[in-house]
Amino acid sequence: MGLAGHRVGSGPRGPVPDRIRTSETTLGDRRALVVEPTGRQRPGTILYFHGGAFSLGSPETALSLTGALVARTGIRALSVDYRLAPENPFPAAVDDGANAYRALLDSGEDPERIALAGDSAGGSLAVTTALRARESGLPAPAAVITFSGAFDLTLGGESMDTKAGSDPIFTRETLGPLVGLYCAGHDPRHPHLSPALAADLTGFPATLLQTGTNEVLLDDSVRMSARATAAGMDVVLDVTADVPHVFQAFHGILDEADQAIDRAGLFLSQHLR
């Protein structure tokens, strides 16, 4: 879930595009990094959630991905510095995501021009923020995009075993303690912890799920896609062969990463009004 990221204050994972500028703001009661294009800015907002196993990382460690999306689309991103486990376990991060989304709406943002996005643990938070928004009676965002999302914190996916030898970052054994710190005694089958198993996705926004075949979290996205399909929702499952966890961060280095970011940019352009 993004362990290649680091603690707050360390550098981004992957290259950062030149055609962006950054500043800071507050969403709800949390700091957020504003990432904007240096050229023409298109209407809309990407609310982004960084990876890091719910216990590591910051908006700065995800700047390679947020910057790439902004540079490709011309749409600004706000990356939330949500609270981390173990000091702030579940549901603190979900609360912060929901508060950030509500703050965007309260500021006058059109929900049809908001996309939620995130990598790894942040992909989970993009999904659960949309779920919490619906439960709170808020209008749905236009779209959700996830990169190698973590959608089953029971760690019960078949790929936990079948991809154990090809994933260079994670195994079930390394993920278990990290998941335990975040769940902190809550049932991991809770819909906001394992949406691929338990979430009601009726009325969920159009969703793009990107993942790679060389990661133990592969089946998290596969099963999330199946659940969305069963609920009658628009979903695109985008699987790239022979790439690892959150490979999209290496745009400019891996052709597959550039192509995946291009597809994510197209998805955003198609769904933000």
Side-chain angles (χ1 to χ4, degrees):
M1 283 169 252
L3 270 186
H6 310 289
R7 289 205 177 270
V8 171
S10 60
R13 180 192 181 200
V16 176
D18 295 329
R19 304 184 308 279
I20 62 168
R21 61 177 178 267
T22 62
S23 58
E24 292 193 7
T25 190
T26 300
L27 279 178
D29 59 356
R30 301 300 301 171
R31 181 181 74 95
L33 188 69
V34 183
V35 186
E36 297 175 294
T38 54
R40 177 176 175 268
Q41 183 168 317
R42 294 180 51 204
T45 297
I46 303 164
L47 184 60
Y48 197 88
F49 301 93
H50 68 81
F54 303 100
S55 58
L56 298 168
S58 70
E60 285 73 20
T61 64
L63 187 54
S64 175
L65 277 168
T66 50
L69 287 173
V70 170
R72 290 295 205 283
T73 63
I75 300 169
R76 72 166 184 162
L78 279 76
S79 186
V80 183
D81 193 10
Y82 59 85
R83 288 172 291 172
L84 301 175
E87 294 83 1
N88 296 282
F90 176 80
V94 181
D95 292 342
D96 291 344
N99 289 339
Y101 181 62
R102 184 187 295 272
L104 280 180
L105 297 177
D106 289 345
S107 72
E109 288 282 323
D110 183 347
E112 294 184 4
R113 289 183 172 176
I114 300 174
L116 309 183
D119 62 281
S120 195
S124 171
L125 292 173
V127 166
T128 53
T129 294
L131 291 171
R132 176 71 73 80
R134 184 187 62 194
E135 293 163 4
S136 302
L138 298 176
V144 172
I145 293 178
T146 68
F147 305 119
S148 299
F151 306 122
D152 174 13
L153 296 196
T154 74
L155 306 181
E158 185 177 332
S159 56
M160 283 287 164
D161 298 313
T162 60
K163 300 298 181 179
S166 55
D167 190 324
I169 301 175
F170 291 128
T171 64
R172 179 185 279 115
E173 290 69 30
T174 59
L175 285 172
L178 298 169
V179 166
L181 290 175
Y182 178 60
C183 292
H186 290 87
D187 183 352
R189 293 186 62 89
H190 189 287
H192 293 177
L193 292 170
S194 296
L197 302 183
D200 176 6
L201 298 181
T202 304
F204 202 74
T207 300
L208 172 65
L209 306 165
Q210 289 191 347
T211 187
T213 61
N214 286 6
E215 57 176 313
V216 294
L217 291 178
L218 167 63
D219 278 346
D220 285 43
S221 290
V222 171
R223 287 175 296 150
M224 190 71 189
S225 172
R227 193 169 189 87
T229 301
M233 305 318 301
D234 290 340
V235 61
V236 176
L237 176 63
D238 182 353
V239 182
T240 298
D242 300 324
V243 293
H245 188 64
V246 195
F247 69 96
Q248 299 90 339
F250 295 98
H251 54 87
I253 299 171
L254 293 177
D255 289 343
E256 294 92 340
D258 285 308
Q259 293 160 7
I261 292 290
D262 285 343
R263 294 193 297 273
L266 176 62
F267 187 86
L268 280 171
S269 299
Q270 290 172 332
H271 289 91
L272 294 194
R273 185 174 65 83

